[in-house]
Amino acid sequence: MEIKILGTGCAGCNTLYETVKQVVNDLKIEASVIKEEDLMEIMKYNVMTLPALVIDNNVVAKGKLSPTQVKELLTK
Amino acid sequence: MIQRFADWLVYDLFGIDATSHLGEALNFFFYDSIKIILLLFIISAVMGIVNAYFPIERLRSYLTSRKLYGFQYLFASLFGAVTPFCSCSSIPLFIGFIKGGIPTGVTFAFLITSPLVNEVAIAMFLGTFGLKTTLIYTISGILLGTIGGYVMGKLKPEKYLSPWVRQIQAQSEIESEAWQAEKIPFLKRIPTIIKDAFGIVKGVLLYIIIGIGIGAAIHGYVPEGFFENYLAADNWYSVPLAVILAIPMYANAAGIVPVIQVFVAKGVPLGTAIAFMMGVVGLSLPEATMLKKVMTWKLIGIFFGVVAMFIILSGYIFNLILT
């Protein structure tokens, strides 16, 4: 699984990145967690709300997420 | 009710003399903090409900799929007011609009109003200045975005966008797909909306406390009419000066309003104060550096110039009407 967090480096984006890393560790998921900060790359995903969570090239969530929400998305 | 609680807390529980400066300042601090936090929570929740039904994607498809006969500027500005503003989302929104084929001027209308009118600013204004001033601020903020966006569009800003943004604009296509509503029942949305509202309150709580604290401190100690000598309405340069001073300041709306309120109570004209507030939240240097990613310095200059001009203009108008 390839997980990407789209964000330009704002507080909310960093929080989501930490949350996702935490959840991946806790649940022992085989996944690479990448933080995408390049605006041009981000815009390819056609999102207008940041941060956004991308799993295997699909945008699965936009905006801030709680650890529980992240867990749900990652275990689906 | 809140006033009685503040009275009880400061005068009875703390046992501070009601006629002392300290007692007055503390009472003002507790009363204002509680009132504003409650208001902010309620307004955030209301905006959360609005946003659950009008997400940004829906607005975009609305603006591109219909003929709006010039009203698109007003709509973009209105939507800018109801969407929660986060400076980290302003650039993706800008690109998203351009990509969807929305004219640059309409995009600017959204970009102007979004930071100017938001849940925090409205709650703070309502709590410190009352309903009339809040309505004036909100309506003029929305009009400012509408007119500012229209003027920006007329100035043909496209050629000053960054090359990669112009490329996106050239490839933009009007999205034909209708916006699909997510069918989540209202009751299921409530916990998320409440939690988000809590999140907003938590995020600015510290600024509110600091702002009200400073406000309370000056409230009790600065003599009446202190600022009249410096920033009185008949000084022609006081409004532009307030706006120019405001641009480098990047204060949170939460922190700045209680301080402005004290200035007004001590003799600064309301129009000057509102213009200052608009300058602080609407135009900021961090925003300018962020916009640099999508436009040239020249366009940022034009953008700030146009918005600052309209803020100054509305400051003069308020000073004429509100005195």
Side-chain angles (χ1 to χ4, degrees):
Chain A
M1 188 150 60
E2 190 194 53
I3 304 168
K4 267 188 194 168
I5 289 94
L6 312 181
T8 44
C10 58
C13 313
N14 293 332
T15 317
L16 182 64
Y17 178 60
E18 294 304 325
T19 314
V20 170
K21 271 205 304 194
Q22 190 68 44
V23 171
V24 166
N25 264 335
D26 288 352
L27 299 177
K28 300 198 168 56
I29 298 172
E30 283 280 324
S32 61
V33 183
I34 306 159
K35 204 158 134 208
E36 184 58 79
E37 289 188 349
D38 184 9
L39 203 59
M40 291 180 210
E41 288 299 317
I42 291 174
M43 289 323 298
K44 285 183 187 158
Y45 291 96
N46 204 16
V47 288
M48 288 196 284
T49 316
L50 293 181
L53 186 63
V54 174
I55 298 176
D56 292 331
N57 268 325
N58 289 317
V59 180
V60 292
K62 283 170 267 183
K64 287 170 191 152
L65 296 170
S66 69
T68 342
Q69 284 168 311
V70 172
K71 252 177 218 168
E72 265 173 38
L73 287 165
L74 291 184
T75 48
K76 238 198 269 186
Chain B
M1 194 182 77
I2 303 170
Q3 183 61 64
R4 243 194 281 158
F5 176 74
D7 287 347
W8 169 80
L9 189 72
V10 175
Y11 304 140
D12 298 343
L13 194 70
F14 296 169
I16 296 165
D17 184 5
T19 52
S20 68
H21 274 320
L22 183 67
E24 199 191 328
L26 271 180
N27 190 287
F28 175 83
F29 172 76
F30 282 110
Y31 174 66
D32 262 30
S33 307
I34 298 167
K35 186 174 65 178
I36 285 166
I37 289 164
L38 279 175
L39 276 169
L40 180 59
F41 180 72
I42 294 165
I43 292 167
S44 303
V46 170
M47 289 210 176
I49 294 169
V50 174
N51 276 293
Y53 291 94
F54 292 95
I56 198 76
E57 286 80 7
R58 188 177 196 176
L59 159 66
R60 185 167 68 165
S61 80
Y62 186 82
L63 283 176
T64 48
S65 60
R66 270 165 231 233
K67 276 214 171 356
L68 294 164
Y69 308 103
F71 278 103
Q72 63 269 43
Y73 291 97
L74 179 64
F75 279 121
S77 180
L78 271 175
F79 275 105
V82 294
T83 44
F85 178 72
C86 165
S87 56
C88 48
S89 274
S90 59
I91 297 306
L93 277 170
F94 188 85
I95 305 287
F97 273 30
I98 298 281
K99 207 171 175 180
I102 293 174
T104 321
V106 179
T107 309
F108 270 111
F110 183 92
L111 202 62
I112 295 170
T113 316
S114 191
L116 219 50
V117 184
N118 59 57
E119 63 280 358
V120 179
I122 290 176
M124 296 304 293
F125 257 94
L126 209 52
T128 41
F129 287 104
L131 187 64
K132 190 181 149 203
T133 314
T134 311
L135 281 177
I136 292 171
Y137 177 81
T138 310
I139 293 169
S140 52
I142 292 168
L143 282 180
L144 205 141
T146 311
I147 301 167
Y150 180 78
V151 170
M152 285 306 291
K154 284 281 165 242
L155 292 173
K156 301 258 170 289
E158 289 79 13
K159 54 180 180 288
Y160 301 120
L161 293 172
S162 303
W164 70 282
V165 180
R166 261 184 297 168
Q167 209 176 345
I168 289 176
Q169 193 166 37
Q171 292 164 352
S172 74
E173 44 199 290
I174 311 285
E175 278 168 55
S176 50
E177 61 196 290
W179 183 81
Q180 291 288 320
E182 281 179 65
K183 296 269 186 296
I184 304 171
F186 181 67
L187 277 176
K188 272 203 169 171
R189 286 186 192 270
I190 288 179
T192 324
I193 289 168
I194 300 279
K195 218 168 71 188
D196 287 351
F198 259 122
I200 291 171
V201 174
K202 218 172 81 187
V204 293
L205 191 63
L206 187 66
Y207 299 99
I208 294 182
I209 306 270
I210 294 174
I212 298 174
I214 296 173
I218 4 184
H219 185 81
Y221 294 97
V222 177
E224 293 295 325
F226 179 76
F227 293 104
E228 248 157 24
N229 307 330
Y230 307 101
L231 285 165
D234 49 9
N235 265 346
W236 66 269
Y237 56 82
S238 72
V239 177
L241 185 71
V243 175
I244 291 165
L245 283 176
I247 295 176
M249 290 180 68
Y250 185 51
N252 211 290
I256 202 81
V257 178
V259 180
I260 291 177
Q261 197 256 340
V262 176
F263 283 11
V264 171
K266 307 291 179 189
V268 173
L270 194 55
T272 312
I274 292 180
F276 180 74
M277 164 79 184
M278 285 181 161
V280 170
V281 297
L283 298 170
S284 68
L285 293 181
E287 195 196 348
T289 47
M290 208 124 55
L291 288 173
K292 184 68 190 73
K293 287 177 187 165
V294 290
M295 53 183 87
T296 55
W297 282 119
K298 190 166 180 184
L299 184 53
I300 295 172
I302 295 171
F303 173 53
F304 272 45
V306 167
V307 177
M309 199 186 72
F310 280 114
I311 292 176
I312 292 169
L313 199 67
S314 46
Y316 281 127
I317 295 171
F318 292 145
N319 278 347
L320 277 178
I321 303 170
L322 297 172
T323 42

